[in-house]
Amino acid sequence: MMAAGVDAPDQAADIGPPLWLLAELTYRCPLQCPYCSNPLDYASQDQELTTEQWVSVLRQGRAMGAAQLGFSGGEPLVRQDLAQLIAEARQLGYYSNLITSGLGLTEAKVNAFRDAGLDHIQVSFQASDPELNNAVAGSRKAFEQKLAMARAVKAAGYPMVLNFVIHRHNIHQMTDILDLCRRLEADYVELATCQYYGWAFQNREGLMPSRAQLETAEAAVNRYRDQLADAGEAMKLIFVTPDYYEERPKACMNGWGSMFLTVAPDGTALPCHSARLLPIEFANVREQSLQSIWYHSPGFNHYRGDGWMPEPCRSCDEKGKDFGGCRCQAYLLTGNADNPDPVCSKSPSHDRILAARRAADHATAGLEELTYRNRHNSRLFYRTG
């Protein structure tokens, strides 16, 4: 059911094209990270688009105006047609980015992807040392493989882009993490403090750092920036603060159905990679054109504009900055995606954020108490969902 005041066909003339297309090629992955953003019931969704169907999606997206393309998952490297899709993206004129754990990558594949036209590779790590990295990833060989592939990416001439998801079990390693990035000659480092969707929301109490931990880590990053500047080194550090420690919500995806378009492995088209958790029916590229979905489908028009907004969002002078915040966050925390994002201090539900902060100050859960992302646990969620 569409929100009040929203009419898909009449709005189409005011909607710009998608500029960023995220191709979630698969939910398959060799790792078991307890903060994965994939759906909890991903094991029940095993129908992946074929190579030909993905090529059609890429062509449709480019014809609509999409310029940035991300290949993600799960782990996109498990798709045997990845090089073919990269070559198609190059021919179409996309700037393409591979978001990978590095598992399944080889030096030969790095070079093959470069030759096929891939512009950018981002390699993720779980920690600065092999013991913690492998424990979080659920793989005994993950750390050494990641090191080798990060070096191979650098040797192939790509910009070195590393990603670390930061949580209470690795946040104390901030300086060690940055030292590792420096040794690997990283150009960009994203220190992505955990955001609580998917498996991360399930594990929030065991992952969320305290405010004191967060402030200590951010101070360490700022000191490191100063050290890099003094040494004349250009490594750029991006520290992403968790929503739960903000007083205003983020402009989620720059507004619902505004710039970003995600296509899930089964062809479901989404305004963000977490949106399928919402009680909204989203169209599938197997059944409708991407253009029809983007401009006219009820799912993409559900939260466009501001006609759907309740108070205090509707009369807030900041609604043009944050677009009402994150609908997935509102749903997870209040049970109703129409509600104001509880991150906002003006929200009637902001006390739920404050309670989560207080809980983080006293959390004691260890790694062994987290629910890890694997098919067994996913099937349990599917059966009880």
Side-chain angles (χ1 to χ4, degrees):
M1 181 176 179
M2 290 181 59
V6 177
D7 184 89
D10 291 343
Q11 277 202 338
D14 301 323
I15 300 167
L19 301 180
W20 221 109
L21 174 62
L22 181 66
E24 289 188 312
L25 299 180
T26 180
Y27 286 142
R28 290 175 287 159
C29 183
L31 300 187
Q32 302 183 53
C33 304
Y35 47 71
C36 181
S37 62
N38 286 167
L40 293 175
D41 65 346
Y42 76 88
S44 69
Q45 302 167 20
D46 57 0
Q47 297 297 314
E48 296 179 4
L49 295 182
T50 65
T51 303
E52 292 73 22
Q53 288 169 328
W54 274 117
V55 166
S56 176
V57 167
L58 300 187
R59 290 175 178 173
Q60 290 179 64
R62 190 73 183 104
M64 292 169 65
Q68 298 272 348
L69 172 65
F71 291 112
S72 75
E75 174 49 68
L77 288 167
V78 305
R79 291 280 303 213
Q80 298 305 303
D81 55 1
L82 182 54
Q84 181 179 344
L85 296 177
I86 289 170
E88 180 69 24
R90 166 58 64 185
Q91 183 177 354
L92 291 169
Y94 282 104
Y95 182 92
S96 58
N97 175 27
L98 174 63
I99 303 166
T100 177
S101 68
L103 271 72
L105 196 58
T106 64
E107 186 175 343
K109 285 184 179 179
V110 170
N111 292 329
F113 294 160
R114 179 196 59 200
D115 294 343
L118 185 66
D119 295 292
H120 180 280
I121 300 177
Q122 175 185 290
V123 179
S124 66
F125 280 79
Q126 281 70 32
S128 61
D129 67 278
E131 292 76 20
L132 182 55
N133 185 100
N134 295 347
V136 173
S139 171
R140 296 178 181 178
K141 300 179 180 180
F143 187 75
E144 293 304 322
Q145 169 70 8
K146 289 170 181 289
L147 285 181
M149 289 306 99
R151 294 182 178 119
V153 167
K154 185 74 174 182
Y158 285 106
M160 169 64 75
V161 183
L162 302 180
N163 172 272
F164 289 77
V165 175
I166 304 300
H167 46 82
R168 70 180 302 110
H169 299 289
N170 67 0
I171 197 168
H172 64 284
Q173 293 188 334
M174 193 58 68
T175 299
D176 292 337
I177 286 172
L178 295 174
D179 284 343
L180 171 63
C181 295
R182 201 173 187 178
R183 291 195 300 274
L184 291 172
E185 301 180 83
D187 298 293
Y188 300 90
V189 180
E190 183 180 13
L191 304 161
T193 311
C194 203
Q195 307 289 356
Y196 300 103
Y197 306 94
W199 294 79
F201 185 79
Q202 177 69 26
N203 288 304
R204 190 185 70 194
E205 291 186 11
L207 292 173
M208 186 169 166
S210 67
R211 182 181 289 277
Q213 288 176 310
L214 185 65
E215 290 175 348
T216 298
E218 190 166 15
V221 173
N222 288 333
R223 286 194 301 271
Y224 215 96
R225 285 194 181 106
D226 292 340
Q227 293 173 19
L228 291 171
D230 291 343
E233 297 181 37
M235 186 169 78
K236 185 175 181 180
L237 310 181
I238 304 168
F239 186 83
V240 182
T241 304
D243 290 357
Y244 280 52
Y245 285 103
E246 300 286 358
E247 296 302 315
R248 290 290 182 271
K250 63 176 177 282
C252 192
M253 312 310 290
N254 202 49
W256 179 280
S258 171
M259 295 175 59
F260 296 87
L261 194 162
T262 295
V263 178
D266 65 353
T268 302
L270 303 162
C272 77
H273 60 271
S274 295
R276 72 184 311 157
L277 67 84
L278 299 174
I280 296 173
E281 184 175 348
F282 290 104
N284 194 293
V285 298
R286 300 173 192 262
E287 301 160 357
Q288 290 182 239
S289 71
L290 209 57
Q291 179 161 327
S292 174
I293 293 171
W294 176 260
Y295 288 106
H296 300 296
S297 69
F300 270 83
N301 281 289
H302 206 104
Y303 292 113
R304 275 180 171 143
D306 58 17
W308 61 271
M309 291 183 181
E311 294 293 351
C313 298
R314 183 182 292 269
S315 58
C316 180
D317 59 5
E318 297 180 70
K319 66 182 180 183
K321 298 178 182 178
D322 59 38
F323 310 107
C326 177
R327 298 302 87 219
C328 298
Q329 200 150 250
Y331 179 73
L332 286 169
L333 288 169
T334 74
N336 186 343
D338 293 353
N339 286 337
D341 188 335
V343 163
C344 185
S345 61
K346 300 179 182 180
S347 167
S349 302
H350 187 61
D351 61 312
R352 303 184 190 193
I353 293 292
L354 301 180
R357 294 177 192 172
R358 290 192 296 270
D361 286 335
H362 303 95
T364 59
L367 284 174
E368 68 282 357
E369 297 175 67
L370 300 177
T371 301
Y372 285 80
R373 177 217 191 269
N374 56 52
R375 295 189 71 82
H376 171 74
N377 287 335
S378 179
R379 289 191 184 100
L380 292 179
F381 285 117
Y382 176 59
R383 290 170 189 161
T384 59

PDB file of all heavy atoms in Angstrom, residues 134-167:
ATOM      1  N   ASN A 134      40.313 -13.457  11.712  1.00  0.00           N
ATOM      2  CA  ASN A 134      39.787 -14.759  11.313  1.00  0.00           C
ATOM      3  C   ASN A 134      38.624 -15.206  12.184  1.00  0.00           C
ATOM      4  O   ASN A 134      37.702 -15.881  11.718  1.00  0.00           O
ATOM      5  CB  ASN A 134      40.909 -15.789  11.330  1.00  0.00           C
ATOM      6  CG  ASN A 134      41.987 -15.493  10.295  1.00  0.00           C
ATOM      7  OD1 ASN A 134      41.787 -14.666   9.404  1.00  0.00           O
ATOM      8  ND2 ASN A 134      43.130 -16.152  10.411  1.00  0.00           N
ATOM      9  N   ALA A 135      38.663 -14.814  13.463  1.00  0.00           N
ATOM     10  CA  ALA A 135      37.556 -15.165  14.359  1.00  0.00           C
ATOM     11  C   ALA A 135      36.274 -14.459  13.933  1.00  0.00           C
ATOM     12  O   ALA A 135      35.200 -15.071  13.908  1.00  0.00           O
ATOM     13  CB  ALA A 135      37.914 -14.795  15.792  1.00  0.00           C
ATOM     14  N   VAL A 136      36.362 -13.180  13.590  1.00  0.00           N
ATOM     15  CA  VAL A 136      35.179 -12.434  13.168  1.00  0.00           C
ATOM     16  C   VAL A 136      34.687 -12.925  11.805  1.00  0.00           C
ATOM     17  O   VAL A 136      33.486 -13.064  11.575  1.00  0.00           O
ATOM     18  CB  VAL A 136      35.482 -10.921  13.111  1.00  0.00           C
ATOM     19  CG1 VAL A 136      34.302 -10.153  12.519  1.00  0.00           C
ATOM     20  CG2 VAL A 136      35.813 -10.386  14.501  1.00  0.00           C
ATOM     21  N   ALA A 137      35.638 -13.221  10.909  1.00  0.00           N
ATOM     22  CA  ALA A 137      35.275 -13.660   9.559  1.00  0.00           C
ATOM     23  C   ALA A 137      34.779 -15.094   9.528  1.00  0.00           C
ATOM     24  O   ALA A 137      34.067 -15.494   8.600  1.00  0.00           O
ATOM     25  CB  ALA A 137      36.469 -13.512   8.621  1.00  0.00           C
ATOM     26  N   GLY A 138      35.172 -15.889  10.530  1.00  0.00           N
ATOM     27  CA  GLY A 138      34.797 -17.296  10.520  1.00  0.00           C
ATOM     28  C   GLY A 138      35.588 -18.095   9.515  1.00  0.00           C
ATOM     29  O   GLY A 138      35.104 -19.089   8.963  1.00  0.00           O
ATOM     30  N   SER A 139      36.858 -17.679   9.279  1.00  0.00           N
ATOM     31  CA  SER A 139      37.716 -18.360   8.313  1.00  0.00           C
ATOM     32  C   SER A 139      39.152 -18.318   8.805  1.00  0.00           C
ATOM     33  O   SER A 139      39.678 -17.244   9.100  1.00  0.00           O
ATOM     34  CB  SER A 139      37.614 -17.699   6.935  1.00  0.00           C
ATOM     35  OG  SER A 139      38.587 -18.208   6.051  1.00  0.00           O
ATOM     36  N   ARG A 140      39.802 -19.468   8.881  1.00  0.00           N
ATOM     37  CA  ARG A 140      41.150 -19.535   9.436  1.00  0.00           C
ATOM     38  C   ARG A 140      42.208 -18.908   8.538  1.00  0.00           C
ATOM     39  O   ARG A 140      43.279 -18.527   9.008  1.00  0.00           O
ATOM     40  CB  ARG A 140      41.526 -20.999   9.709  1.00  0.00           C
ATOM     41  CG  ARG A 140      40.666 -21.672  10.774  1.00  0.00           C
ATOM     42  CD  ARG A 140      41.076 -23.123  10.956  1.00  0.00           C
ATOM     43  NE  ARG A 140      40.248 -23.790  11.953  1.00  0.00           N
ATOM     44  CZ  ARG A 140      40.354 -25.066  12.283  1.00  0.00           C
ATOM     45  NH1 ARG A 140      41.266 -25.827  11.676  1.00  0.00           N
ATOM     46  NH2 ARG A 140      39.556 -25.587  13.196  1.00  0.00           N
ATOM     47  N   LYS A 141      41.927 -18.831   7.246  1.00  0.00           N
ATOM     48  CA  LYS A 141      42.929 -18.346   6.291  1.00  0.00           C
ATOM     49  C   LYS A 141      42.624 -16.953   5.756  1.00  0.00           C
ATOM     50  O   LYS A 141      43.326 -16.467   4.867  1.00  0.00           O
ATOM     51  CB  LYS A 141      43.045 -19.329   5.125  1.00  0.00           C
ATOM     52  CG  LYS A 141      43.464 -20.734   5.536  1.00  0.00           C
ATOM     53  CD  LYS A 141      43.545 -21.665   4.335  1.00  0.00           C
ATOM     54  CE  LYS A 141      43.973 -23.076   4.746  1.00  0.00           C
ATOM     55  NZ  LYS A 141      44.047 -23.980   3.569  1.00  0.00           N
ATOM     56  N   ALA A 142      41.598 -16.305   6.289  1.00  0.00           N
ATOM     57  CA  ALA A 142      41.135 -15.053   5.692  1.00  0.00           C
ATOM     58  C   ALA A 142      42.194 -13.960   5.714  1.00  0.00           C
ATOM     59  O   ALA A 142      42.416 -13.274   4.712  1.00  0.00           O
ATOM     60  CB  ALA A 142      39.870 -14.580   6.410  1.00  0.00           C
ATOM     61  N   PHE A 143      42.864 -13.770   6.854  1.00  0.00           N
ATOM     62  CA  PHE A 143      43.753 -12.615   7.005  1.00  0.00           C
ATOM     63  C   PHE A 143      44.908 -12.660   6.007  1.00  0.00           C
ATOM     64  O   PHE A 143      45.190 -11.665   5.332  1.00  0.00           O
ATOM     65  CB  PHE A 143      44.288 -12.544   8.430  1.00  0.00           C
ATOM     66  CG  PHE A 143      45.066 -11.297   8.721  1.00  0.00           C
ATOM     67  CD1 PHE A 143      44.412 -10.085   8.898  1.00  0.00           C
ATOM     68  CD2 PHE A 143      46.449 -11.319   8.814  1.00  0.00           C
ATOM     69  CE1 PHE A 143      45.125  -8.914   9.169  1.00  0.00           C
ATOM     70  CE2 PHE A 143      47.164 -10.158   9.082  1.00  0.00           C
ATOM     71  CZ  PHE A 143      46.506  -8.955   9.266  1.00  0.00           C
ATOM     72  N   GLU A 144      45.589 -13.793   5.908  1.00  0.00           N
ATOM     73  CA  GLU A 144      46.732 -13.882   4.998  1.00  0.00           C
ATOM     74  C   GLU A 144      46.295 -13.713   3.549  1.00  0.00           C
ATOM     75  O   GLU A 144      47.001 -13.101   2.739  1.00  0.00           O
ATOM     76  CB  GLU A 144      47.450 -15.218   5.192  1.00  0.00           C
ATOM     77  CG  GLU A 144      48.140 -15.364   6.530  1.00  0.00           C
ATOM     78  CD  GLU A 144      49.147 -14.249   6.813  1.00  0.00           C
ATOM     79  OE1 GLU A 144      49.843 -13.822   5.854  1.00  0.00           O
ATOM     80  OE2 GLU A 144      49.241 -13.801   7.970  1.00  0.00           O
ATOM     81  N   GLN A 145      45.125 -14.248   3.212  1.00  0.00           N
ATOM     82  CA  GLN A 145      44.603 -14.075   1.862  1.00  0.00           C
ATOM     83  C   GLN A 145      44.316 -12.602   1.583  1.00  0.00           C
ATOM     84  O   GLN A 145      44.627 -12.087   0.500  1.00  0.00           O
ATOM     85  CB  GLN A 145      43.335 -14.908   1.680  1.00  0.00           C
ATOM     86  CG  GLN A 145      42.547 -14.629   0.411  1.00  0.00           C
ATOM     87  CD  GLN A 145      43.237 -15.098  -0.864  1.00  0.00           C
ATOM     88  OE1 GLN A 145      44.258 -15.767  -0.807  1.00  0.00           O
ATOM     89  NE2 GLN A 145      42.668 -14.741  -2.012  1.00  0.00           N
ATOM     90  N   LYS A 146      43.749 -11.912   2.533  1.00  0.00           N
ATOM     91  CA  LYS A 146      43.452 -10.488   2.366  1.00  0.00           C
ATOM     92  C   LYS A 146      44.730  -9.675   2.174  1.00  0.00           C
ATOM     93  O   LYS A 146      44.795  -8.783   1.314  1.00  0.00           O
ATOM     94  CB  LYS A 146      42.659  -9.970   3.569  1.00  0.00           C
ATOM     95  CG  LYS A 146      41.226 -10.479   3.649  1.00  0.00           C
ATOM     96  CD  LYS A 146      40.598 -10.126   4.977  1.00  0.00           C
ATOM     97  CE  LYS A 146      39.171 -10.643   5.081  1.00  0.00           C
ATOM     98  NZ  LYS A 146      38.248  -9.903   4.211  1.00  0.00           N
ATOM     99  N   LEU A 147      45.751  -9.976   2.981  1.00  0.00           N
ATOM    100  CA  LEU A 147      47.029  -9.280   2.824  1.00  0.00           C
ATOM    101  C   LEU A 147      47.586  -9.467   1.417  1.00  0.00           C
ATOM    102  O   LEU A 147      48.007  -8.503   0.761  1.00  0.00           O
ATOM    103  CB  LEU A 147      48.043  -9.798   3.840  1.00  0.00           C
ATOM    104  CG  LEU A 147      47.905  -9.362   5.290  1.00  0.00           C
ATOM    105  CD1 LEU A 147      49.028  -9.979   6.118  1.00  0.00           C
ATOM    106  CD2 LEU A 147      47.941  -7.845   5.415  1.00  0.00           C
ATOM    107  N   ALA A 148      47.595 -10.706   0.964  1.00  0.00           N
ATOM    108  CA  ALA A 148      48.154 -11.003  -0.350  1.00  0.00           C
ATOM    109  C   ALA A 148      47.382 -10.294  -1.454  1.00  0.00           C
ATOM    110  O   ALA A 148      47.972  -9.739  -2.395  1.00  0.00           O
ATOM    111  CB  ALA A 148      48.161 -12.512  -0.586  1.00  0.00           C
ATOM    112  N   MET A 149      46.062 -10.289  -1.339  1.00  0.00           N
ATOM    113  CA  MET A 149      45.260  -9.686  -2.392  1.00  0.00           C
ATOM    114  C   MET A 149      45.305  -8.157  -2.350  1.00  0.00           C
ATOM    115  O   MET A 149      45.251  -7.500  -3.382  1.00  0.00           O
ATOM    116  CB  MET A 149      43.825 -10.188  -2.299  1.00  0.00           C
ATOM    117  CG  MET A 149      43.679 -11.649  -2.698  1.00  0.00           C
ATOM    118  SD  MET A 149      44.362 -12.001  -4.363  1.00  0.00           S
ATOM    119  CE  MET A 149      45.975 -12.697  -3.943  1.00  0.00           C
ATOM    120  N   ALA A 150      45.428  -7.584  -1.162  1.00  0.00           N
ATOM    121  CA  ALA A 150      45.594  -6.132  -1.081  1.00  0.00           C
ATOM    122  C   ALA A 150      46.873  -5.719  -1.800  1.00  0.00           C
ATOM    123  O   ALA A 150      46.905  -4.726  -2.539  1.00  0.00           O
ATOM    124  CB  ALA A 150      45.625  -5.688   0.377  1.00  0.00           C
ATOM    125  N   ARG A 151      47.923  -6.494  -1.602  1.00  0.00           N
ATOM    126  CA  ARG A 151      49.195  -6.191  -2.286  1.00  0.00           C
ATOM    127  C   ARG A 151      49.075  -6.391  -3.791  1.00  0.00           C
ATOM    128  O   ARG A 151      49.644  -5.614  -4.582  1.00  0.00           O
ATOM    129  CB  ARG A 151      50.302  -7.068  -1.701  1.00  0.00           C
ATOM    130  CG  ARG A 151      50.622  -6.752  -0.232  1.00  0.00           C
ATOM    131  CD  ARG A 151      51.752  -7.611   0.297  1.00  0.00           C
ATOM    132  NE  ARG A 151      52.066  -7.251   1.675  1.00  0.00           N
ATOM    133  CZ  ARG A 151      51.969  -8.079   2.709  1.00  0.00           C
ATOM    134  NH1 ARG A 151      51.562  -9.339   2.518  1.00  0.00           N
ATOM    135  NH2 ARG A 151      52.286  -7.680   3.925  1.00  0.00           N
ATOM    136  N   ALA A 152      48.335  -7.414  -4.200  1.00  0.00           N
ATOM    137  CA  ALA A 152      48.148  -7.661  -5.631  1.00  0.00           C
ATOM    138  C   ALA A 152      47.354  -6.539  -6.288  1.00  0.00           C
ATOM    139  O   ALA A 152      47.649  -6.130  -7.421  1.00  0.00           O
ATOM    140  CB  ALA A 152      47.436  -9.004  -5.840  1.00  0.00           C
ATOM    141  N   VAL A 153      46.357  -6.027  -5.579  1.00  0.00           N
ATOM    142  CA  VAL A 153      45.558  -4.908  -6.101  1.00  0.00           C
ATOM    143  C   VAL A 153      46.447  -3.680  -6.283  1.00  0.00           C
ATOM    144  O   VAL A 153      46.376  -2.988  -7.307  1.00  0.00           O
ATOM    145  CB  VAL A 153      44.385  -4.609  -5.139  1.00  0.00           C
ATOM    146  CG1 VAL A 153      43.730  -3.276  -5.481  1.00  0.00           C
ATOM    147  CG2 VAL A 153      43.353  -5.728  -5.204  1.00  0.00           C
ATOM    148  N   LYS A 154      47.280  -3.417  -5.294  1.00  0.00           N
ATOM    149  CA  LYS A 154      48.199  -2.271  -5.386  1.00  0.00           C
ATOM    150  C   LYS A 154      49.176  -2.454  -6.546  1.00  0.00           C
ATOM    151  O   LYS A 154      49.423  -1.516  -7.319  1.00  0.00           O
ATOM    152  CB  LYS A 154      48.962  -2.128  -4.072  1.00  0.00           C
ATOM    153  CG  LYS A 154      49.863  -0.903  -3.998  1.00  0.00           C
ATOM    154  CD  LYS A 154      49.063   0.359  -3.815  1.00  0.00           C
ATOM    155  CE  LYS A 154      49.959   1.565  -3.594  1.00  0.00           C
ATOM    156  NZ  LYS A 154      49.191   2.803  -3.365  1.00  0.00           N
ATOM    157  N   ALA A 155      49.722  -3.668  -6.685  1.00  0.00           N
ATOM    158  CA  ALA A 155      50.692  -3.938  -7.743  1.00  0.00           C
ATOM    159  C   ALA A 155      50.075  -3.807  -9.130  1.00  0.00           C
ATOM    160  O   ALA A 155      50.777  -3.472 -10.098  1.00  0.00           O
ATOM    161  CB  ALA A 155      51.270  -5.340  -7.561  1.00  0.00           C
ATOM    162  N   ALA A 156      48.774  -4.044  -9.230  1.00  0.00           N
ATOM    163  CA  ALA A 156      48.104  -3.946 -10.536  1.00  0.00           C
ATOM    164  C   ALA A 156      47.796  -2.510 -10.933  1.00  0.00           C
ATOM    165  O   ALA A 156      47.276  -2.273 -12.018  1.00  0.00           O
ATOM    166  CB  ALA A 156      46.815  -4.772 -10.515  1.00  0.00           C
ATOM    167  N   GLY A 157      48.100  -1.568 -10.047  1.00  0.00           N
ATOM    168  CA  GLY A 157      47.912  -0.164 -10.384  1.00  0.00           C
ATOM    169  C   GLY A 157      46.603   0.437  -9.949  1.00  0.00           C
ATOM    170  O   GLY A 157      46.300   1.591 -10.280  1.00  0.00           O
ATOM    171  N   TYR A 158      45.801  -0.330  -9.224  1.00  0.00           N
ATOM    172  CA  TYR A 158      44.553   0.209  -8.694  1.00  0.00           C
ATOM    173  C   TYR A 158      44.834   1.135  -7.508  1.00  0.00           C
ATOM    174  O   TYR A 158      45.815   0.947  -6.794  1.00  0.00           O
ATOM    175  CB  TYR A 158      43.645  -0.926  -8.202  1.00  0.00           C
ATOM    176  CG  TYR A 158      42.965  -1.706  -9.279  1.00  0.00           C
ATOM    177  CD1 TYR A 158      43.403  -2.989  -9.594  1.00  0.00           C
ATOM    178  CD2 TYR A 158      41.875  -1.190  -9.968  1.00  0.00           C
ATOM    179  CE1 TYR A 158      42.767  -3.732 -10.577  1.00  0.00           C
ATOM    180  CE2 TYR A 158      41.229  -1.927 -10.940  1.00  0.00           C
ATOM    181  CZ  TYR A 158      41.688  -3.193 -11.249  1.00  0.00           C
ATOM    182  OH  TYR A 158      41.054  -3.918 -12.211  1.00  0.00           O
ATOM    183  N   PRO A 159      43.960   2.101  -7.263  1.00  0.00           N
ATOM    184  CA  PRO A 159      44.032   2.801  -5.987  1.00  0.00           C
ATOM    185  C   PRO A 159      43.781   1.806  -4.864  1.00  0.00           C
ATOM    186  O   PRO A 159      42.912   0.938  -4.983  1.00  0.00           O
ATOM    187  CB  PRO A 159      42.917   3.853  -6.076  1.00  0.00           C
ATOM    188  CG  PRO A 159      41.986   3.340  -7.132  1.00  0.00           C
ATOM    189  CD  PRO A 159      42.838   2.572  -8.095  1.00  0.00           C
ATOM    190  N   MET A 160      44.578   1.893  -3.796  1.00  0.00           N
ATOM    191  CA  MET A 160      44.433   0.960  -2.675  1.00  0.00           C
ATOM    192  C   MET A 160      43.343   1.469  -1.743  1.00  0.00           C
ATOM    193  O   MET A 160      43.524   2.469  -1.050  1.00  0.00           O
ATOM    194  CB  MET A 160      45.752   0.831  -1.928  1.00  0.00           C
ATOM    195  CG  MET A 160      45.658   0.095  -0.604  1.00  0.00           C
ATOM    196  SD  MET A 160      45.163  -1.617  -0.798  1.00  0.00           S
ATOM    197  CE  MET A 160      46.690  -2.309  -1.426  1.00  0.00           C
ATOM    198  N   VAL A 161      42.202   0.789  -1.737  1.00  0.00           N
ATOM    199  CA  VAL A 161      41.061   1.179  -0.914  1.00  0.00           C
ATOM    200  C   VAL A 161      40.760   0.033   0.044  1.00  0.00           C
ATOM    201  O   VAL A 161      40.419  -1.074  -0.385  1.00  0.00           O
ATOM    202  CB  VAL A 161      39.823   1.496  -1.770  1.00  0.00           C
ATOM    203  CG1 VAL A 161      38.668   1.971  -0.893  1.00  0.00           C
ATOM    204  CG2 VAL A 161      40.160   2.539  -2.832  1.00  0.00           C
ATOM    205  N   LEU A 162      40.901   0.298   1.335  1.00  0.00           N
ATOM    206  CA  LEU A 162      40.661  -0.713   2.354  1.00  0.00           C
ATOM    207  C   LEU A 162      39.470  -0.306   3.211  1.00  0.00           C
ATOM    208  O   LEU A 162      39.253   0.869   3.475  1.00  0.00           O
ATOM    209  CB  LEU A 162      41.892  -0.896   3.244  1.00  0.00           C
ATOM    210  CG  LEU A 162      43.185  -1.300   2.533  1.00  0.00           C
ATOM    211  CD1 LEU A 162      44.312  -1.440   3.553  1.00  0.00           C
ATOM    212  CD2 LEU A 162      43.006  -2.592   1.742  1.00  0.00           C
ATOM    213  N   ASN A 163      38.704  -1.308   3.635  1.00  0.00           N
ATOM    214  CA  ASN A 163      37.537  -1.067   4.468  1.00  0.00           C
ATOM    215  C   ASN A 163      37.625  -1.917   5.728  1.00  0.00           C
ATOM    216  O   ASN A 163      37.913  -3.112   5.654  1.00  0.00           O
ATOM    217  CB  ASN A 163      36.260  -1.405   3.698  1.00  0.00           C
ATOM    218  CG  ASN A 163      35.027  -1.368   4.568  1.00  0.00           C
ATOM    219  OD1 ASN A 163      34.664  -2.362   5.194  1.00  0.00           O
ATOM    220  ND2 ASN A 163      34.375  -0.232   4.622  1.00  0.00           N
ATOM    221  N   PHE A 164      37.384  -1.288   6.874  1.00  0.00           N
ATOM    222  CA  PHE A 164      37.287  -1.990   8.153  1.00  0.00           C
ATOM    223  C   PHE A 164      35.945  -1.644   8.777  1.00  0.00           C
ATOM    224  O   PHE A 164      35.634  -0.456   8.951  1.00  0.00           O
ATOM    225  CB  PHE A 164      38.390  -1.547   9.115  1.00  0.00           C
ATOM    226  CG  PHE A 164      39.768  -2.021   8.749  1.00  0.00           C
ATOM    227  CD1 PHE A 164      40.484  -1.398   7.735  1.00  0.00           C
ATOM    228  CD2 PHE A 164      40.356  -3.086   9.419  1.00  0.00           C
ATOM    229  CE1 PHE A 164      41.762  -1.824   7.396  1.00  0.00           C
ATOM    230  CE2 PHE A 164      41.624  -3.521   9.086  1.00  0.00           C
ATOM    231  CZ  PHE A 164      42.335  -2.888   8.069  1.00  0.00           C
ATOM    232  N   VAL A 165      35.139  -2.650   9.088  1.00  0.00           N
ATOM    233  CA  VAL A 165      33.934  -2.411   9.871  1.00  0.00           C
ATOM    234  C   VAL A 165      34.359  -2.380  11.338  1.00  0.00           C
ATOM    235  O   VAL A 165      34.943  -3.332  11.848  1.00  0.00           O
ATOM    236  CB  VAL A 165      32.873  -3.499   9.632  1.00  0.00           C
ATOM    237  CG1 VAL A 165      31.682  -3.285  10.561  1.00  0.00           C
ATOM    238  CG2 VAL A 165      32.427  -3.481   8.177  1.00  0.00           C
ATOM    239  N   ILE A 166      34.059  -1.271  12.011  1.00  0.00           N
ATOM    240  CA  ILE A 166      34.525  -1.053  13.378  1.00  0.00           C
ATOM    241  C   ILE A 166      33.397  -1.356  14.364  1.00  0.00           C
ATOM    242  O   ILE A 166      32.257  -0.893  14.195  1.00  0.00           O
ATOM    243  CB  ILE A 166      35.019   0.395  13.556  1.00  0.00           C
ATOM    244  CG1 ILE A 166      36.114   0.721  12.527  1.00  0.00           C
ATOM    245  CG2 ILE A 166      35.527   0.625  14.974  1.00  0.00           C
ATOM    246  CD1 ILE A 166      37.346  -0.148  12.615  1.00  0.00           C
ATOM    247  N   HIS A 167      33.711  -2.110  15.403  1.00  0.00           N
ATOM    248  CA  HIS A 167      32.741  -2.472  16.440  1.00  0.00           C
ATOM    249  C   HIS A 167      33.491  -2.629  17.757  1.00  0.00           C
ATOM    250  O   HIS A 167      34.718  -2.420  17.816  1.00  0.00           O
ATOM    251  CB  HIS A 167      32.010  -3.764  16.053  1.00  0.00           C
ATOM    252  CG  HIS A 167      32.925  -4.848  15.563  1.00  0.00           C
ATOM    253  ND1 HIS A 167      33.618  -5.679  16.417  1.00  0.00           N
ATOM    254  CD2 HIS A 167      33.290  -5.206  14.302  1.00  0.00           C
ATOM    255  CE1 HIS A 167      34.356  -6.515  15.717  1.00  0.00           C
ATOM    256  NE2 HIS A 167      34.185  -6.247  14.416  1.00  0.00           N
TER     257      HIS A 167
END
